[in-house]
Protein backbone atom coordinates (compact mmCIF):
# COMPACT_ATOMS: atom_id res chain seq x y z
CA UNK A 1 0.00 0.00 0.00
CA UNK A 2 1.44 3.36 -1.04
CA UNK A 3 1.13 6.72 0.72
CA UNK A 4 0.29 5.02 4.00
CA UNK A 5 1.03 7.61 6.67
CA UNK A 6 -0.56 5.72 9.56
CA UNK A 7 2.71 4.27 10.83
CA UNK A 8 5.60 6.46 9.68
CA UNK A 9 8.84 7.52 11.31
CA UNK A 10 9.40 10.82 13.08
CA UNK A 11 11.30 12.29 10.12
CA UNK A 12 8.21 12.06 7.92
CA UNK A 13 5.91 13.55 10.55
CA UNK A 14 8.30 16.33 11.45
CA UNK A 15 8.80 17.31 7.81
CA UNK A 16 5.03 17.74 7.36
CA UNK A 17 4.70 19.55 10.67
CA UNK A 18 7.41 22.04 9.73
CA UNK A 19 5.89 22.59 6.30
CA UNK A 20 2.57 23.46 7.87
CA UNK A 21 4.29 25.77 10.38
CA UNK A 22 6.48 27.70 7.95
CA UNK A 23 4.88 27.48 4.49
CA UNK A 24 2.95 30.75 4.53
CA UNK A 25 2.24 33.09 1.63
CA UNK A 26 5.04 35.33 2.87
CA UNK A 27 7.46 32.39 2.90
CA UNK A 28 6.46 31.25 -0.61
CA UNK A 29 6.94 34.73 -2.08
CA UNK A 30 10.35 34.93 -0.39
CA UNK A 31 11.41 31.52 -1.69
CA UNK A 32 10.29 32.25 -5.25
CA UNK A 33 12.33 35.43 -5.21
CA UNK A 34 15.39 33.77 -3.67
CA UNK A 35 15.55 30.58 -5.72
CA UNK A 36 14.18 31.59 -9.13
CA UNK A 37 17.36 33.41 -10.15
CA UNK A 38 19.87 31.37 -12.15
CA UNK A 39 23.33 32.47 -13.23
CA UNK A 40 23.71 29.97 -16.05
CA UNK A 41 22.12 27.02 -17.78
CA UNK A 42 22.89 23.56 -16.44
CA UNK A 43 23.33 20.07 -17.85
CA UNK A 44 19.95 18.57 -16.91
CA UNK A 45 20.89 14.91 -17.40
CA UNK A 46 24.33 15.41 -15.90
CA UNK A 47 22.75 16.93 -12.80
CA UNK A 48 20.78 13.77 -12.05
CA UNK A 49 23.81 12.19 -10.37
CA UNK A 50 23.49 14.87 -7.68
CA UNK A 51 20.48 12.93 -6.35
CA UNK A 52 22.53 9.74 -5.83
CA UNK A 53 22.62 10.38 -2.08
CA UNK A 54 19.43 12.41 -1.57
CA UNK A 55 16.81 10.56 0.48
CA UNK A 56 13.37 12.20 0.63
CA UNK A 57 12.47 12.64 4.31
CA UNK A 58 8.74 12.91 3.49
CA UNK A 59 8.42 9.63 1.57
CA UNK A 60 7.02 6.64 3.51
CA UNK A 61 7.29 4.27 0.52
CA UNK A 62 10.97 3.94 -0.42
CA UNK A 63 14.35 4.10 1.30
CA UNK A 64 16.53 4.27 -1.82
CA UNK A 65 18.14 7.54 -2.95
CA UNK A 66 15.93 9.69 -5.16
CA UNK A 67 17.91 8.90 -8.31
CA UNK A 68 16.71 5.28 -8.19
CA UNK A 69 13.09 6.42 -7.95
CA UNK A 70 13.50 8.55 -11.08
CA UNK A 71 14.66 5.58 -13.14
CA UNK A 72 11.86 3.44 -11.71
CA UNK A 73 9.28 6.04 -12.79
CA UNK A 74 10.74 6.38 -16.28
CA UNK A 75 10.96 2.62 -16.71
CA UNK A 76 7.33 2.22 -15.67
CA UNK A 77 6.24 4.81 -18.27
CA UNK A 78 8.41 3.18 -20.92
CA UNK A 79 6.91 -0.25 -20.24
CA UNK A 80 3.44 1.26 -20.56
CA UNK A 81 4.26 2.55 -24.03
CA UNK A 82 4.09 6.23 -23.11
CA UNK A 83 5.43 8.86 -25.54
CA UNK A 84 9.05 9.91 -25.15
CA UNK A 85 8.15 13.24 -23.53
CA UNK A 86 6.30 11.46 -20.73
CA UNK A 87 9.24 9.12 -20.13
CA UNK A 88 11.50 12.19 -20.00
CA UNK A 89 9.15 13.89 -17.53
CA UNK A 90 9.15 10.82 -15.29
CA UNK A 91 12.93 10.68 -15.36
CA UNK A 92 13.50 14.27 -14.23
CA UNK A 93 10.34 15.11 -12.27
CA UNK A 94 12.13 15.18 -8.91
CA UNK A 95 15.35 16.78 -10.15
CA UNK A 96 14.37 20.02 -8.42
CA UNK A 97 15.55 18.44 -5.18
CA UNK A 98 19.04 19.51 -6.19
CA UNK A 99 18.01 22.83 -4.65
CA UNK A 100 19.72 21.44 -1.54
CA UNK A 101 23.02 22.48 -3.18
CA UNK A 102 21.94 26.12 -2.88
CA UNK A 103 19.86 25.65 0.25
CA UNK A 104 20.19 25.93 4.00
CA UNK A 105 18.63 24.62 7.21
CA UNK A 106 17.07 28.01 7.94
CA UNK A 107 14.57 27.89 5.07
CA UNK A 108 14.12 24.12 4.89
CA UNK A 109 16.20 23.46 1.79
CA UNK A 110 19.06 21.30 3.06
CA UNK A 111 19.72 17.57 3.22
CA UNK A 112 18.92 17.73 6.94
CA UNK A 113 15.87 20.03 6.91
CA UNK A 114 13.63 19.49 3.87
CA UNK A 115 10.25 21.14 4.44
CA UNK A 116 11.07 23.61 1.64
CA UNK A 117 11.92 20.78 -0.78
CA UNK A 118 9.67 17.74 -0.32
CA UNK A 119 6.22 16.65 0.81
CA UNK A 120 2.68 17.20 -0.47
CA UNK A 121 2.12 20.80 -1.48
CA UNK A 122 -0.89 23.03 -0.85
CA UNK A 123 -2.06 26.45 -1.99
CA UNK A 124 -1.19 29.26 0.42
CA UNK A 125 -3.27 32.41 0.66
CA UNK A 126 -6.48 30.45 1.29
CA UNK A 127 -7.80 27.83 3.70
CA UNK A 128 -5.76 24.62 3.83
CA UNK A 129 -8.18 21.78 3.00
CA UNK A 130 -8.93 19.14 5.62
CA UNK A 131 -8.15 16.43 3.07
CA UNK A 132 -4.42 17.16 3.33
CA UNK A 133 -2.02 14.65 4.90
CA UNK A 134 -1.68 15.33 8.66
CA UNK A 135 -4.49 17.89 8.67
CA UNK A 136 -4.06 18.20 12.43
CA UNK A 137 -1.03 20.38 11.69
CA UNK A 138 -3.10 22.94 9.75
CA UNK A 139 -3.75 24.99 12.87
CA UNK A 140 0.01 25.56 13.21
CA UNK A 141 0.07 27.66 10.04
CA UNK A 142 0.09 31.38 10.95
CA UNK A 143 -1.99 32.25 7.88
CA UNK A 144 -4.85 30.17 9.27
CA UNK A 145 -5.18 32.75 12.04
CA UNK A 146 -5.51 35.57 9.49
CA UNK A 147 -9.03 36.29 8.20
CA UNK A 148 -7.64 37.22 4.78
CA UNK A 149 -6.34 33.70 4.24
CA UNK A 150 -8.33 31.23 6.35
CA UNK A 151 -11.37 31.15 4.05
CA UNK A 152 -12.19 29.03 1.00
CA UNK A 153 -11.10 31.50 -1.71
CA UNK A 154 -8.71 33.59 0.35
CA UNK A 155 -6.92 36.03 -1.94
CA UNK A 156 -8.05 34.26 -5.12
CA UNK A 157 -10.92 34.61 -7.58
CA UNK A 158 -13.19 31.76 -8.62
CA UNK A 159 -11.58 29.54 -11.30
CA UNK A 160 -8.50 31.77 -11.48
CA UNK A 161 -6.30 28.82 -12.45
CA UNK A 162 -3.49 27.12 -10.54
CA UNK A 163 -0.94 29.09 -12.54
CA UNK A 164 -2.20 32.19 -10.72
CA UNK A 165 -1.98 30.65 -7.24
CA UNK A 166 0.88 30.51 -4.77
CA UNK A 167 1.62 26.85 -4.06
CA UNK A 168 3.72 25.90 -1.04
CA UNK A 169 7.34 25.95 -2.13
CA UNK A 170 9.33 22.87 -3.02
CA UNK A 171 11.25 20.98 -5.68
CA UNK A 172 8.30 21.19 -8.07
CA UNK A 173 8.42 24.97 -8.44
CA UNK A 174 12.22 25.04 -8.40
CA UNK A 175 12.54 22.58 -11.29
CA UNK A 176 9.76 24.30 -13.23
CA UNK A 177 11.66 27.60 -13.06
CA UNK A 178 14.98 25.88 -13.81
CA UNK A 179 13.59 24.24 -16.95
CA UNK A 180 12.08 27.51 -18.14
CA UNK A 181 15.48 29.15 -17.66
CA UNK A 182 17.11 26.32 -19.64
CA UNK A 183 14.55 26.78 -22.46
CA UNK A 184 13.50 23.15 -22.29
CA UNK A 185 12.12 21.32 -25.32
CA UNK A 186 9.54 19.54 -23.20
CA UNK A 187 5.87 20.33 -24.01
CA UNK A 188 3.71 22.50 -21.77
CA UNK A 189 1.95 19.41 -20.40
CA UNK A 190 5.30 18.19 -19.06
CA UNK A 191 6.04 21.50 -17.37
CA UNK A 192 2.58 21.47 -15.78
CA UNK A 193 3.15 17.96 -14.44
CA UNK A 194 6.51 18.96 -12.98
CA UNK A 195 5.08 22.07 -11.35
CA UNK A 196 2.04 20.46 -9.74
CA UNK A 197 2.83 16.75 -9.28
CA UNK A 198 3.08 17.12 -5.47
CA UNK A 199 -0.26 18.93 -5.28
CA UNK A 200 -2.22 15.79 -4.35
CA UNK A 201 -5.03 17.99 -3.07
CA UNK A 202 -5.62 18.88 -6.71
CA UNK A 203 -5.03 15.69 -8.68
CA UNK A 204 -6.15 13.17 -6.07
CA UNK A 205 -8.57 14.93 -3.72
CA UNK A 206 -10.10 17.53 -6.09
CA UNK A 207 -9.95 20.03 -3.22
CA UNK A 208 -9.24 23.01 -5.47
CA UNK A 209 -11.96 22.59 -8.09
CA UNK A 210 -13.20 26.08 -7.24
CA UNK A 211 -9.81 27.55 -8.24
CA UNK A 212 -9.03 25.51 -11.35
CA UNK A 213 -9.66 26.76 -14.88
CA UNK A 214 -10.09 24.98 -18.22
CA UNK A 215 -6.34 24.47 -18.62
CA UNK A 216 -6.17 22.70 -15.26
CA UNK A 217 -9.19 20.56 -16.05
CA UNK A 218 -7.85 19.54 -19.46
CA UNK A 219 -4.42 18.54 -18.17
CA UNK A 220 -5.71 16.81 -15.02
CA UNK A 221 -6.13 13.36 -16.66
CA UNK A 222 -2.55 13.56 -17.98
CA UNK A 223 -1.24 14.51 -14.55
CA UNK A 224 -3.15 11.61 -13.01
CA UNK A 225 -1.67 9.28 -15.62
CA UNK A 226 1.82 10.47 -14.70
CA UNK A 227 1.04 9.93 -11.03
CA UNK A 228 0.70 6.19 -11.63
CA UNK A 229 4.29 6.03 -12.84
CA UNK A 230 5.51 8.26 -10.03
CA UNK A 231 3.72 6.48 -7.19
CA UNK A 232 3.20 2.86 -8.15
CA UNK A 233 6.68 2.24 -9.54
CA UNK A 234 8.28 2.61 -6.11
CA UNK A 235 10.20 -0.32 -4.67
CA UNK A 236 13.59 -0.95 -3.12
CA UNK A 237 15.12 -2.63 -6.18
CA UNK A 238 17.54 -0.76 -8.40
CA UNK A 239 17.07 -0.47 -12.18
CA UNK A 240 19.74 -2.25 -14.26
CA UNK A 241 22.34 -0.33 -16.27
CA UNK A 242 21.02 -1.63 -19.59
CA UNK A 243 17.55 -0.23 -18.91
CA UNK A 244 19.01 3.06 -17.68
CA UNK A 245 20.96 3.47 -20.91
CA UNK A 246 17.85 2.70 -22.95
CA UNK A 247 15.91 5.38 -21.08
CA UNK A 248 18.66 7.96 -21.54
CA UNK A 249 18.82 7.29 -25.28
CA UNK A 250 15.06 7.76 -25.59
CA UNK A 251 14.87 11.08 -23.77
CA UNK A 252 18.19 12.69 -24.70
CA UNK A 253 16.72 14.85 -27.54
CA UNK A 254 14.74 16.84 -24.98
CA UNK A 255 17.86 18.00 -23.16
Amino acid sequence: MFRNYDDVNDDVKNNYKQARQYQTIEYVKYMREKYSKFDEKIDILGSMKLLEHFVDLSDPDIDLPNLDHLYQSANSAMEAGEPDWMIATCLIHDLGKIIYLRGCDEDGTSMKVQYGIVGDTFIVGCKIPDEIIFCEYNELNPNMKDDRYNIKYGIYEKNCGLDNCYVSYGHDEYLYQLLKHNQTKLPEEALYIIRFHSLYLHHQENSYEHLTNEIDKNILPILQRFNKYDLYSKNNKKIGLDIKNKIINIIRPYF
Side-chain angles (χ1 to χ4, degrees):
M1 181 177 179
F2 293 95
R3 289 180 59 80
N4 182 2
Y5 291 89
D6 294 334
D7 184 23
V8 296
N9 62 46
D10 289 340
D11 284 339
V12 174
K13 289 182 178 180
N14 192 48
N15 192 82
Y16 276 98
K17 182 178 181 181
Q18 289 179 317
R20 225 60 54 81
Q21 287 177 301
Y22 302 122
Q23 289 269 7
T24 62
I25 190 166
E26 296 83 7
Y27 170 87
V28 171
K29 288 180 177 180
Y30 166 79
M31 295 294 279
R32 283 193 180 188
E33 174 67 20
K34 179 178 180 180
Y35 290 110
S36 294
K37 298 174 182 176
F38 304 99
D39 296 328
E40 57 187 20
K41 294 181 180 180
I42 70 167
D43 177 1
I44 296 295
L45 294 181
S47 299
M48 287 179 56
K49 64 184 180 181
L50 298 172
L51 292 179
E52 278 185 317
H53 304 293
F54 186 92
V55 177
D56 186 331
L57 295 181
S58 73
D59 195 334
D61 299 322
I62 187 171
D63 297 321
L64 291 177
N66 223 158
L67 182 58
D68 295 284
H69 165 56
L70 295 184
Y71 278 110
Q72 290 173 349
S73 299
N75 183 51
S76 182
M78 183 173 65
E79 290 180 337
E82 288 286 354
D84 292 353
W85 72 262
M86 177 65 87
I87 299 172
T89 304
C90 288
L91 184 64
I92 69 162
H93 73 276
D94 277 349
L95 184 60
K97 293 173 185 179
I98 64 171
I99 192 176
Y100 78 85
L101 296 168
R102 299 175 59 187
C104 59
D105 291 351
E106 289 71 24
D107 61 23
T109 52
S110 68
M111 289 279 275
K112 181 181 177 182
V113 186
Q114 298 181 11
Y115 66 84
I117 305 179
V118 300
D120 290 18
T121 54
F122 56 95
I123 295 176
V124 298
C126 62
K127 186 179 185 296
I128 304 174
D130 292 335
E131 295 88 356
I132 196 170
I133 296 296
F134 297 118
C135 64
E136 64 268 27
Y137 295 147
N138 288 358
E139 64 182 21
L140 301 178
N141 190 287
N143 287 168
M144 294 304 95
K145 298 177 177 63
D146 189 320
D147 291 341
R148 294 173 296 173
Y149 308 131
N150 62 9
I151 54 179
K152 181 178 180 179
Y153 284 94
I155 63 172
Y156 306 110
E157 299 291 333
K158 183 177 180 180
N159 302 126
C160 62
L162 297 184
D163 185 55
N164 294 307
C165 297
Y166 289 99
V167 178
S168 58
Y169 196 83
H171 69 280
D172 309 53
E173 181 68 22
Y174 182 71
L175 181 57
Y176 171 78
Q177 297 295 344
L178 182 62
L179 290 172
K180 297 282 279 190
H181 176 77
N182 275 258
Q183 298 176 320
T184 179
K185 298 175 184 176
L186 288 169
E188 286 300 318
E189 292 90 342
L191 293 177
Y192 185 98
I193 287 170
I194 285 165
R195 195 177 199 186
F196 299 117
H197 73 269
S198 296
L199 193 60
Y200 279 84
L201 286 168
H202 165 51
H203 61 76
Q204 189 173 81
E205 302 294 343
N206 200 32
S207 301
Y208 294 123
E209 184 179 16
H210 57 293
L211 298 178
T212 56
N213 60 16
E214 287 304 309
I215 293 174
D216 299 310
K217 293 171 184 176
N218 289 337
I219 299 182
L220 180 58
I222 305 174
L223 176 55
Q224 291 171 329
R225 200 170 86 224
F226 159 85
N227 184 243
K228 295 188 301 181
Y229 309 125
D230 179 15
L231 184 58
Y232 298 111
S233 64
K234 292 179 181 179
N235 61 71
N236 284 312
K237 295 181 180 179
K238 291 179 176 288
I239 296 293
L241 183 60
D242 56 334
I243 297 178
K244 289 182 180 180
N245 289 334
K246 184 176 180 180
I247 291 169
I248 292 297
N249 287 333
I250 288 174
I251 61 89
R252 192 178 296 279
Y254 292 99
F255 307 108

